[in-house]
Amino acid sequence: MLEREQRILITRITTEHARALRKKFKRAVHHESARCVTIEKQPLRKRPGTIAVVCAGTSDLPVAEEAAVTAEIMGNHVERLSDVGVSGLHRLLGRLELIQSANVVVVVAGMEGALPSVVAGLVSRPVIAVPTSVGYGASFGGLAALLGMLNSCGTGVTVVNIDNGFGAGYAASQMNALVSGAGIT
Amino acid sequence: MLEREQRILITRITTEHARALRKKFKRAVHHESARCVTIEKQPLRKRPGTIAVVCAGTSDLPVAEEAAVTAEIMGNHVERLSDVGVSGLHRLLGRLELIQSANVVVVVAGMEGALPSVVAGLVSRPVIAVPTSVGYGASFGGLAALLGMLNSCGTGVTVVNIDNGFGAGYAASQMNALVSGAGIT
Amino acid sequence: MLEREQRILITRITTEHARALRKKFKRAVHHESARCVTIEKQPLRKRPGTIAVVCAGTSDLPVAEEAAVTAEIMGNHVERLSDVGVSGLHRLLGRLELIQSANVVVVVAGMEGALPSVVAGLVSRPVIAVPTSVGYGASFGGLAALLGMLNSCGTGVTVVNIDNGFGAGYAASQMNALVSGAGIT
Amino acid sequence: MLEREQRILITRITTEHARALRKKFKRAVHHESARCVTIEKQPLRKRPGTIAVVCAGTSDLPVAEEAAVTAEIMGNHVERLSDVGVSGLHRLLGRLELIQSANVVVVVAGMEGALPSVVAGLVSRPVIAVPTSVGYGASFGGLAALLGMLNSCGTGVTVVNIDNGFGAGYAASQMNALVSGAGIT
Amino acid sequence: MLEREQRILITRITTEHARALRKKFKRAVHHESARCVTIEKQPLRKRPGTIAVVCAGTSDLPVAEEAAVTAEIMGNHVERLSDVGVSGLHRLLGRLELIQSANVVVVVAGMEGALPSVVAGLVSRPVIAVPTSVGYGASFGGLAALLGMLNSCGTGVTVVNIDNGFGAGYAASQMNALVSGAGIT
Amino acid sequence: MLEREQRILITRITTEHARALRKKFKRAVHHESARCVTIEKQPLRKRPGTIAVVCAGTSDLPVAEEAAVTAEIMGNHVERLSDVGVSGLHRLLGRLELIQSANVVVVVAGMEGALPSVVAGLVSRPVIAVPTSVGYGASFGGLAALLGMLNSCGTGVTVVNIDNGFGAGYAASQMNALVSGAGIT
Amino acid sequence: MLEREQRILITRITTEHARALRKKFKRAVHHESARCVTIEKQPLRKRPGTIAVVCAGTSDLPVAEEAAVTAEIMGNHVERLSDVGVSGLHRLLGRLELIQSANVVVVVAGMEGALPSVVAGLVSRPVIAVPTSVGYGASFGGLAALLGMLNSCGTGVTVVNIDNGFGAGYAASQMNALVSGAGIT
Amino acid sequence: MLEREQRILITRITTEHARALRKKFKRAVHHESARCVTIEKQPLRKRPGTIAVVCAGTSDLPVAEEAAVTAEIMGNHVERLSDVGVSGLHRLLGRLELIQSANVVVVVAGMEGALPSVVAGLVSRPVIAVPTSVGYGASFGGLAALLGMLNSCGTGVTVVNIDNGFGAGYAASQMNALVSGAGIT
């Protein structure tokens, strides 16, 4: 497969499989918190502009990292903000400039999934919401966050499947590619 | 019934029934946006302290008003804030002092139900969340807002049934009554 | 309101309300199949590039039109394709060039919601999927289409709420605005 | 973290982690049935008044204890009643005075979640209902109890997420803090 | 049909149809609150022993009456108790003897459906629980009451479909028929 | 506990616990397929009349046996029929006399839960339906069987929780006790 | 459209529309209980062999008739059996020969949807199950029947959407066409 | 059992059990990817005509193989196509002739379950759709695929339970048997 492709992204990989791959392919890089391995013969040249990947805390981090790594291997600059939840608005507002300067914002959130609504009220660029299965009880494996995001009062928010960091990163890259007018590779 | 009771609250009343009651009982007051009628022989003396009733906009107003009228007839001062949604944070932050000065905050929201999480991050007093059936599609009659509130990352948020403004106003009054040490009447 | 704003979009309007508005505002335009009224003092200059709005047939048309009208009033050229369902692939394939030439593709579908997956396999640009409440029985008011789209095997598909043509048109415009580097107005 | 904070509460901890913490921090206390560890440099002075934590039996005990330990570390006196279910009313009625003397009542119940309705009919103070995931079959992981509590005919009952003893204890403390007029710490 | 059968029970009938039937068949009796019409050539002789039909209030009455009328036309004495909810235990306890003297107890309840659990804790005879669609929001058309009853901690409670007063009355009659050893007619 | 009670039934016990109990209490009997242990100082005298416990095959057997053992320890004769499914009507019809001679019939079924409807059409005595979690895919842990039974076209069928063999056996005993006019012990 | 096609089937038509069509097209036939209109320039020659359409009673009849009319216009002989429910097995068994002689059996049922399982146990030919939305309460608009049929213990049962008589008739015709080796027209 | 039957199919078998069976019965064949074992004294003579079993990729393969092995042991020729998903239409179209030449087409798909709709638009023979539990998040264990297939816009598609390869293979064989006019064995 590696012969055919210039770069490969393997998601949801266990630490054991990652180690085996790294033994076999010296170019393989293990992104631990993203639970991904990437193998690149030659990295893509980065597009101008950034994609911001925003989440509220450590439990949403693996999905956020999956989105970030996906966007990076597809040739995008990524800004990570991982401590900006709705119950601590000052941290969010303190980093507003960074978020507003991105071409596309990926917002990852579990529990009630409220963060994309708040972010969408603060930026004019596309916001992609990723619900995570973080939570318990009436979160029903991410359903609460998913429904929250689909009903977001923030106009223009689009949503991907629960825990689908890869899909969000891919879509964000498609959108960011519009800036330079180039197709996606 | 009016003979036995000092004051009566009728919720979810139609305009026609309200008119009929007002003809029959001259003390009857029709709270139109709350869809309630109250009849009080002698209003309760107001407790010290206020209950804030917060919502995002006109569609949540009937439920918010039901909560407010309930709290008022039970002897509480009520502050109404009806234009403070999560996608317009500046309006919310602009009225923060008013919200923070209340003993209890009732937050009414439909769609994704994110407002209680944001409010709970800004106050230290009890927050009662009321999901409304406002929305369409995947709001499933208020289920999305309900699940969002139950999974709120805002610590200490408690929740009542969908559209249950009465229950929220009643609970808020019970809590506010604790301040003066008196039981509920 | 019209005094403050340059252009207004009213969605989900009845024919009666539309007529009343047209009497009052001579600039008001009634988009019948979209169930919208637009009032523009001065239309926005169109951005370069197009947004394609694709659906399978007459029953999905109101939602597709809502998306199209939204994108148009926000300054985008829109291509409408309204007869391209998954059970008649030749019609879809016959218009492939048109779809592939768009910057963003909005795909509207009810019932099993399979069309976005097929379209996403044929284009490299962002695809926004809009489930509709068209169907009966186990469609559960659009839930089947919504779940289908969230689980799409077409990479990079993002989804909005059931029947939310407005949100899809708005998001598509945000994405298309990236091409010219301009913010959204 | 302990340097910054005066007291720490860790919930849903395993016995192994608890032991490790107790080795490291000699002030650490393991509340076994609550599955919590608390570390207090200096305990808070107790507020006047009590919070009652009521449940029906051994299977609901871990959640009830989580609520009780949370309320205690936040400076409240807690009365525990753990054998008072709806199918044995005499036990409940036999301890009625104790329940009625509390400022706030936390009621923890699984299965059909009927206990809060019964308790709310017997007290005039705030009742916080906590559904638990105790049950099988059509309890659907606590959903039956949750829905039961949201539909409680007992006026003024508010509800937290399934198994969320911490949230209930926190909210109860916020309410009890109203009595002494102090904010929550 | 009347020629073949000795007695007929028509449930869920409108007032108009009931009137039409009464005009046509002079033996027809309209049970208004039960929304039933019965036509009996010759009433069955009553079995010894009684069936108690218990509910909490006026909104559950039509379903309770349907159960009562069904049991009566099948030859049973019926005791009706219609004001005994879980949030007013004293009324329930005040009529305990009547309930305990019945061979079978039908308990009708909407909202959280807690009454059967309480009643089952007080009697040793079969308890048939009937959930009603009374409620709003998270009652989901009687689902909350249904789940509550299926998860009842009251041992031996059996459940029928939502609003199925007829089925409960029929089953109660089958059970009461066991006392006299006779089959059901 | 054994000191206080004349007989004890422990359900859902593992083989290991059962062995431990049998070592400790020589009267303990392990009902393996029912996953129960019973300990009786002195068995109850059997009531006249029988309870039939009917199921379709080996996978429903544990729940059926739990019902049977429960009914037996409560003093009832039990007839077991465990090979009578709806897709093999001749076996069911071949044992019809046995089923029809019982005072109460407990019918245990998973998958589509159709057996109680068929049985109820063939007998005039009370039928208690027990859904089991047997099945996969769209059986949703017994939900399909539960809904099937609640919607049974067989009049007079009452239902207990998924896998609740104990509840069914208990209710059946309460009903059978009506025959001899005695209360339940 | 009629010019292009040899025959047309319009389903779910109101009586008013049917009348209008019959005025306009003299060949139009209104199948009242099926709620369909057919217009045939020249009826198809009937295939050898029959399709049996089986249902339990009057409330399932419209869906059963829709299936039957669909199969007929597609060139099949149809046998209708409309009084054969699971709670009256003798009627079903009395007409067994007719059912067994069909090439394909369409079974239409609401409520618990048990009939296809019973029929599939009696025939060796393909059985197509059609759930109907007949029922109330926990039938959830046909969901109970749908789940029952999907979990049928009758091997080889396939299922169509709730109330989808047309789809069942169409599929039955496709299957019956296999007998004569001809494609479907 | 083997004495009575000419051939046996055991589905959902573990590798360990398969090995044990192969040791005991030398005729036993282990179909690894189908997770089945077959034991045939004398294979059935193959019917004329083929059944096509179509799926999108490796994750749906076990269910597709279960269908294929079932159809084979029942005496049918089976064509397997396992790389034809909706997001890669060219592969599907490239093998169209093979699919169109089959008497019956079994289509296996997880995630959004869109493949049967596309296939049904391309063939005129019966299409049996099998949803699989492949997916994550909002696939809800195959529910999304199941609902998608039930709502298929492809006319005449019938559906079996999630992961029910056996049922689909069995039904396909029943249909294919119609061609030769023979009953099923």
Side-chain angles (χ1 to χ4, degrees):
Chain A
M1 185 166 155
L2 195 58
E3 284 169 32
R4 270 200 337 265
E5 306 287 344
Q6 284 297 312
R7 59 201 63 81
I8 287 174
L9 166 62
I10 303 150
T11 59
R12 304 190 176 201
I13 201 168
T14 59
T15 308
E16 288 72 38
H17 284 134
R19 274 189 200 138
L21 278 171
R22 285 187 58 197
K23 276 198 185 149
K24 199 156 178 190
F25 303 101
K26 69 174 192 184
R27 279 198 193 92
V29 179
H30 183 206
H31 309 262
E32 275 197 63
S33 68
R35 299 167 306 183
C36 297
V37 164
T38 51
I39 310 176
E40 298 184 280
K41 287 192 195 146
Q42 190 175 345
L44 279 175
R45 217 169 41 180
K46 297 291 184 200
R47 287 190 184 88
T50 63
I51 293 171
V53 176
V54 179
C55 73
T58 51
S59 48
D60 294 325
L61 211 58
V63 176
E65 273 301 302
E66 187 183 297
V69 169
T70 302
E72 281 176 338
I73 201 178
M74 289 175 76
N76 303 280
H77 292 286
V78 173
E79 283 287 348
R80 292 159 164 89
L81 298 90
S82 62
D83 189 28
V84 288
V86 292
S87 61
L89 282 185
H90 58 283
R91 280 193 303 273
L92 176 63
L93 297 174
R95 308 195 64 184
L96 196 51
E97 213 170 323
L98 197 61
I99 300 175
Q100 286 175 333
S101 70
N103 282 333
V104 184
V105 186
V106 174
V107 186
V108 181
M111 301 181 78
E112 83 273 61
L115 192 55
S117 298
V118 174
V119 170
L122 300 168
V123 305
S124 63
R125 303 299 183 138
V127 172
I128 302 170
V130 193
T132 68
S133 53
V134 169
Y136 62 91
S139 86
F140 296 122
L143 179 63
L146 171 63
L147 293 181
M149 290 170 177
L150 286 167
N151 288 286
S152 174
C153 56
T155 318
V157 173
T158 59
V159 185
V160 297
N161 196 359
I162 298 164
D163 290 336
N164 190 5
F166 167 69
Y170 191 98
S173 180
Q174 284 181 317
M175 296 175 198
N176 196 28
L178 291 170
V179 177
S180 44
I184 202 155
T185 339
Chain B
M1 184 166 157
L2 195 58
E3 283 170 34
R4 269 201 337 263
E5 305 286 344
Q6 283 297 311
R7 62 201 61 83
I8 287 173
L9 165 63
I10 303 151
T11 59
R12 305 192 174 198
I13 201 168
T14 61
T15 308
E16 290 71 38
H17 283 135
R19 273 189 201 138
L21 277 172
R22 285 188 57 198
K23 275 198 185 149
K24 200 155 175 194
F25 304 99
K26 70 174 190 184
R27 279 198 194 93
V29 179
H30 183 204
H31 308 262
E32 275 196 65
S33 68
R35 299 168 306 183
C36 297
V37 164
T38 50
I39 310 176
E40 298 184 279
K41 287 193 194 146
Q42 191 178 345
L44 279 176
R45 217 168 41 175
K46 297 292 184 202
R47 284 191 185 88
T50 64
I51 292 170
V53 176
V54 180
C55 73
T58 50
S59 47
D60 295 325
L61 212 58
V63 176
E65 273 301 302
E66 187 183 296
V69 169
T70 302
E72 282 176 338
I73 201 177
M74 289 175 76
N76 303 280
H77 292 285
V78 173
E79 283 289 348
R80 290 160 166 88
L81 298 90
S82 61
D83 190 26
V84 289
V86 292
S87 62
L89 282 185
H90 58 282
R91 281 194 302 274
L92 176 62
L93 296 175
R95 308 194 66 184
L96 196 51
E97 212 171 324
L98 198 60
I99 299 176
Q100 286 175 334
S101 69
N103 282 331
V104 184
V105 186
V106 174
V107 186
V108 180
M111 301 183 79
E112 82 272 60
L115 192 53
S117 298
V118 174
V119 170
L122 300 168
V123 305
S124 61
R125 302 300 182 136
V127 172
I128 302 171
V130 193
T132 69
S133 54
V134 169
Y136 63 91
S139 88
F140 297 121
L143 179 62
L146 172 62
L147 292 182
M149 290 170 177
L150 287 167
N151 288 284
S152 175
C153 57
T155 318
V157 172
T158 59
V159 185
V160 297
N161 196 359
I162 298 163
D163 290 335
N164 190 6
F166 167 69
Y170 192 97
S173 180
Q174 285 180 315
M175 295 175 199
N176 196 28
L178 290 171
V179 177
S180 44
I184 203 155
T185 337
Chain C
M1 183 167 157
L2 195 58
E3 284 170 33
R4 272 200 335 264
E5 306 286 345
Q6 284 298 311
R7 60 202 62 84
I8 287 173
L9 166 62
I10 303 150
T11 59
R12 305 191 176 198
I13 201 168
T14 60
T15 308
E16 290 71 38
H17 283 134
R19 275 190 199 136
L21 277 171
R22 286 187 56 197
K23 277 199 184 147
K24 200 155 177 194
F25 305 100
K26 70 173 191 186
R27 279 199 193 93
V29 179
H30 183 204
H31 309 262
E32 274 197 64
S33 68
R35 299 167 307 182
C36 298
V37 164
T38 51
I39 310 176
E40 298 183 279
K41 287 195 195 144
Q42 191 177 345
L44 279 175
R45 220 174 32 184
K46 297 292 184 201
R47 286 191 185 86
T50 63
I51 292 170
V53 176
V54 180
C55 73
T58 51
S59 48
D60 294 325
L61 213 57
V63 177
E65 273 301 304
E66 188 182 297
V69 169
T70 302
E72 281 176 339
I73 201 178
M74 290 174 76
N76 303 280
H77 293 286
V78 173
E79 283 288 348
R80 290 159 165 88
L81 297 91
S82 62
D83 189 28
V84 289
V86 292
S87 63
L89 281 185
H90 58 282
R91 281 193 303 273
L92 176 63
L93 297 174
R95 308 194 66 184
L96 197 51
E97 212 170 325
L98 198 61
I99 299 176
Q100 286 175 333
S101 69
N103 282 332
V104 185
V105 187
V106 174
V107 186
V108 180
M111 303 181 77
E112 83 272 61
L115 193 54
S117 298
V118 174
V119 170
L122 300 168
V123 306
S124 63
R125 303 298 184 139
V127 173
I128 302 170
V130 192
T132 68
S133 53
V134 169
Y136 62 91
S139 86
F140 297 121
L143 178 63
L146 172 62
L147 292 181
M149 290 169 177
L150 287 167
N151 288 285
S152 175
C153 56
T155 318
V157 173
T158 59
V159 186
V160 297
N161 196 359
I162 297 164
D163 289 336
N164 190 6
F166 167 68
Y170 191 97
S173 180
Q174 284 181 315
M175 295 175 199
N176 197 27
L178 291 170
V179 177
S180 44
I184 204 156
T185 338
Chain D
M1 185 166 155
L2 195 59
E3 284 169 33
R4 271 201 336 266
E5 305 287 345
Q6 285 296 312
R7 59 200 64 80
I8 286 174
L9 166 63
I10 303 151
T11 59
R12 303 190 177 200
I13 200 168
T14 60
T15 308
E16 289 71 37
H17 283 134
R19 274 189 201 138
L21 277 171
R22 285 187 56 197
K23 276 199 185 147
K24 199 155 178 192
F25 304 100
K26 69 174 192 185
R27 278 198 194 93
V29 179
H30 183 204
H31 309 262
E32 275 197 63
S33 68
R35 298 167 307 182
C36 298
V37 164
T38 50
I39 310 176
E40 298 184 279
K41 287 196 195 143
Q42 191 176 345
L44 279 175
R45 219 176 31 187
K46 297 294 184 201
R47 285 190 186 89
T50 64
I51 292 171
V53 176
V54 180
C55 73
T58 51
S59 47
D60 295 325
L61 212 57
V63 177
E65 273 301 302
E66 188 182 297
V69 169
T70 302
E72 281 175 339
I73 201 177
M74 290 175 76
N76 303 279
H77 292 286
V78 173
E79 284 287 349
R80 290 159 165 91
L81 297 91
S82 62
D83 189 28
V84 289
V86 292
S87 63
L89 282 185
H90 58 282
R91 280 193 303 274
L92 177 62
L93 297 175
R95 306 192 67 184
L96 196 51
E97 213 171 323
L98 197 60
I99 299 176
Q100 286 174 334
S101 69
N103 282 332
V104 185
V105 186
V106 174
V107 185
V108 180
M111 302 183 77
E112 83 272 60
L115 192 55
S117 298
V118 174
V119 170
L122 299 168
V123 305
S124 62
R125 303 298 182 137
V127 172
I128 302 170
V130 192
T132 68
S133 54
V134 169
Y136 62 91
S139 86
F140 296 122
L143 178 63
L146 171 62
L147 293 182
M149 290 169 178
L150 287 167
N151 288 285
S152 174
C153 57
T155 320
V157 173
T158 59
V159 185
V160 296
N161 196 358
I162 298 164
D163 291 335
N164 190 5
F166 167 69
Y170 192 98
S173 181
Q174 284 181 315
M175 296 176 198
N176 196 30
L178 291 170
V179 177
S180 44
I184 203 155
T185 338
Chain E
M1 185 167 154
L2 194 58
E3 284 169 33
R4 269 200 338 263
E5 306 286 344
Q6 285 296 312
R7 61 200 62 83
I8 286 174
L9 166 62
I10 304 151
T11 59
R12 304 191 176 199
I13 202 168
T14 60
T15 307
E16 290 70 38
H17 283 135
R19 273 188 201 137
L21 277 172
R22 284 187 58 197
K23 275 198 186 149
K24 200 154 175 194
F25 304 100
K26 69 173 193 186
R27 279 198 193 93
V29 179
H30 184 204
H31 308 262
E32 276 197 64
S33 68
R35 301 167 305 182
C36 297
V37 164
T38 51
I39 310 176
E40 299 184 279
K41 287 195 194 144
Q42 192 177 344
L44 279 176
R45 220 177 29 186
K46 297 293 185 201
R47 285 190 185 88
T50 64
I51 292 171
V53 176
V54 179
C55 74
T58 51
S59 48
D60 295 324
L61 213 58
V63 176
E65 273 300 303
E66 188 182 297
V69 168
T70 302
E72 281 176 339
I73 200 177
M74 289 175 77
N76 303 280
H77 292 286
V78 174
E79 284 288 348
R80 289 158 166 90
L81 297 90
S82 61
D83 189 26
V84 289
V86 293
S87 63
L89 282 185
H90 58 281
R91 281 194 302 275
L92 176 63
L93 297 175
R95 306 192 68 185
L96 196 52
E97 212 171 325
L98 198 61
I99 299 176
Q100 286 175 334
S101 70
N103 282 332
V104 185
V105 186
V106 174
V107 186
V108 180
M111 303 183 76
E112 82 272 61
L115 192 54
S117 297
V118 174
V119 169
L122 300 169
V123 305
S124 62
R125 303 299 183 140
V127 172
I128 302 170
V130 193
T132 69
S133 54
V134 169
Y136 62 91
S139 87
F140 297 121
L143 179 62
L146 172 62
L147 292 182
M149 290 169 177
L150 287 167
N151 288 285
S152 174
C153 57
T155 319
V157 173
T158 58
V159 185
V160 297
N161 196 359
I162 298 164
D163 289 336
N164 191 3
F166 167 68
Y170 191 97
S173 180
Q174 284 180 316
M175 294 176 199
N176 197 27
L178 290 171
V179 177
S180 44
I184 205 157
T185 338
Chain F
M1 184 168 156
L2 194 59
E3 284 170 31
R4 269 199 340 263
E5 306 287 343
Q6 284 297 311
R7 60 200 62 82
I8 286 174
L9 166 63
I10 303 151
T11 59
R12 304 189 176 200
I13 201 167
T14 59
T15 307
E16 289 71 37
H17 283 134
R19 274 188 201 140
L21 277 173
R22 283 187 58 198
K23 275 198 185 151
K24 199 155 177 193
F25 303 100
K26 68 174 193 185
R27 279 198 193 92
V29 180
H30 183 204
H31 308 262
E32 275 197 64
S33 68
R35 300 168 305 182
C36 298
V37 165
T38 51
I39 310 177
E40 298 183 280
K41 286 194 196 145
Q42 191 175 346
L44 278 176
R45 216 166 44 177
K46 298 293 185 199
R47 284 188 187 89
T50 63
I51 293 171
V53 177
V54 180
C55 74
T58 51
S59 48
D60 295 326
L61 212 58
V63 176
E65 273 300 303
E66 187 182 297
V69 168
T70 302
E72 281 176 339
I73 201 177
M74 289 175 77
N76 303 279
H77 292 286
V78 173
E79 283 288 348
R80 289 159 165 91
L81 298 90
S82 62
D83 190 28
V84 289
V86 293
S87 63
L89 282 185
H90 58 281
R91 280 193 303 273
L92 177 62
L93 297 175
R95 307 194 66 184
L96 196 52
E97 212 171 324
L98 198 60
I99 299 176
Q100 287 175 333
S101 69
N103 282 333
V104 185
V105 187
V106 173
V107 186
V108 180
M111 302 184 77
E112 83 273 59
L115 192 54
S117 298
V118 174
V119 170
L122 300 169
V123 305
S124 62
R125 303 300 183 136
V127 173
I128 302 170
V130 193
T132 68
S133 54
V134 169
Y136 63 90
S139 86
F140 296 122
L143 179 62
L146 172 63
L147 293 182
M149 290 169 178
L150 287 166
N151 288 284
S152 175
C153 57
T155 320
V157 173
T158 59
V159 186
V160 297
N161 196 359
I162 298 163
D163 290 335
N164 190 5
F166 167 69
Y170 192 98
S173 181
Q174 284 181 315
M175 295 176 198
N176 197 27
L178 290 170
V179 178
S180 44
I184 204 156
T185 338
Chain G
M1 185 165 154
L2 195 58
E3 284 169 33
R4 273 201 335 264
E5 306 286 344
Q6 285 297 311
R7 59 202 63 83
I8 287 173
L9 166 62
I10 303 150
T11 59
R12 304 191 176 197
I13 201 168
T14 60
T15 307
E16 290 69 38
H17 283 135
R19 274 188 201 139
L21 277 172
R22 285 188 56 198
K23 274 197 186 151
K24 200 156 177 192
F25 304 100
K26 70 174 192 183
R27 280 199 192 92
V29 179
H30 183 203
H31 308 262
E32 276 197 63
S33 68
R35 299 167 307 181
C36 298
V37 164
T38 51
I39 310 176
E40 298 184 279
K41 286 194 195 144
Q42 191 177 345
L44 279 176
R45 217 171 39 180
K46 297 292 185 202
R47 284 189 187 89
T50 63
I51 292 171
V53 177
V54 180
C55 73
T58 51
S59 48
D60 294 325
L61 212 58
V63 176
E65 273 301 302
E66 188 182 297
V69 169
T70 302
E72 280 175 340
I73 201 178
M74 289 175 76
N76 303 280
H77 292 286
V78 173
E79 284 287 347
R80 290 158 165 90
L81 298 90
S82 62
D83 190 27
V84 290
V86 292
S87 63
L89 281 185
H90 59 281
R91 282 194 302 274
L92 176 62
L93 296 175
R95 306 193 67 185
L96 195 51
E97 213 170 325
L98 198 60
I99 300 175
Q100 286 175 334
S101 69
N103 281 333
V104 184
V105 186
V106 174
V107 186
V108 181
M111 302 183 77
E112 82 271 60
L115 192 54
S117 297
V118 173
V119 170
L122 300 169
V123 304
S124 61
R125 303 299 183 137
V127 172
I128 302 171
V130 192
T132 68
S133 54
V134 169
Y136 62 91
S139 88
F140 296 121
L143 179 62
L146 172 62
L147 292 182
M149 290 169 177
L150 286 166
N151 288 284
S152 175
C153 56
T155 318
V157 173
T158 59
V159 185
V160 297
N161 196 358
I162 298 164
D163 290 334
N164 190 4
F166 167 69
Y170 192 97
S173 181
Q174 283 180 316
M175 295 176 198
N176 196 28
L178 291 170
V179 176
S180 45
I184 204 157
T185 338
Chain H
M1 185 167 155
L2 195 58
E3 284 169 33
R4 270 198 340 262
E5 306 287 344
Q6 284 296 312
R7 60 202 61 83
I8 287 173
L9 166 62
I10 303 152
T11 58
R12 304 190 176 199
I13 201 168
T14 61
T15 308
E16 289 71 38
H17 283 135
R19 273 187 202 141
L21 277 172
R22 284 187 58 197
K23 276 198 186 150
K24 199 154 177 193
F25 303 100
K26 69 175 191 183
R27 279 197 193 93
V29 179
H30 183 205
H31 308 262
E32 275 196 64
S33 69
R35 298 169 305 183
C36 297
V37 164
T38 50
I39 310 177
E40 297 184 280
K41 286 194 196 148
Q42 190 176 345
L44 278 176
R45 215 166 43 177
K46 297 292 184 202
R47 286 190 185 88
T50 63
I51 292 170
V53 176
V54 180
C55 73
T58 50
S59 47
D60 294 325
L61 212 58
V63 176
E65 273 300 303
E66 188 182 296
V69 169
T70 302
E72 281 176 339
I73 201 177
M74 289 174 77
N76 303 280
H77 292 285
V78 174
E79 283 289 347
R80 290 158 165 91
L81 298 89
S82 60
D83 189 27
V84 289
V86 293
S87 63
L89 281 185
H90 58 282
R91 281 193 302 273
L92 177 63
L93 297 175
R95 307 194 66 184
L96 196 50
E97 212 171 324
L98 198 61
I99 300 176
Q100 286 175 334
S101 69
N103 283 332
V104 184
V105 187
V106 174
V107 186
V108 180
M111 301 182 77
E112 82 273 60
L115 192 54
S117 297
V118 174
V119 170
L122 300 168
V123 304
S124 62
R125 303 299 182 138
V127 173
I128 303 170
V130 192
T132 68
S133 53
V134 169
Y136 63 91
S139 85
F140 296 121
L143 178 63
L146 171 62
L147 293 182
M149 290 169 177
L150 287 167
N151 288 285
S152 174
C153 57
T155 318
V157 173
T158 59
V159 185
V160 298
N161 196 359
I162 298 163
D163 290 334
N164 189 6
F166 167 69
Y170 191 98
S173 180
Q174 284 181 316
M175 295 175 198
N176 196 28
L178 290 170
V179 177
S180 44
I184 203 156
T185 338

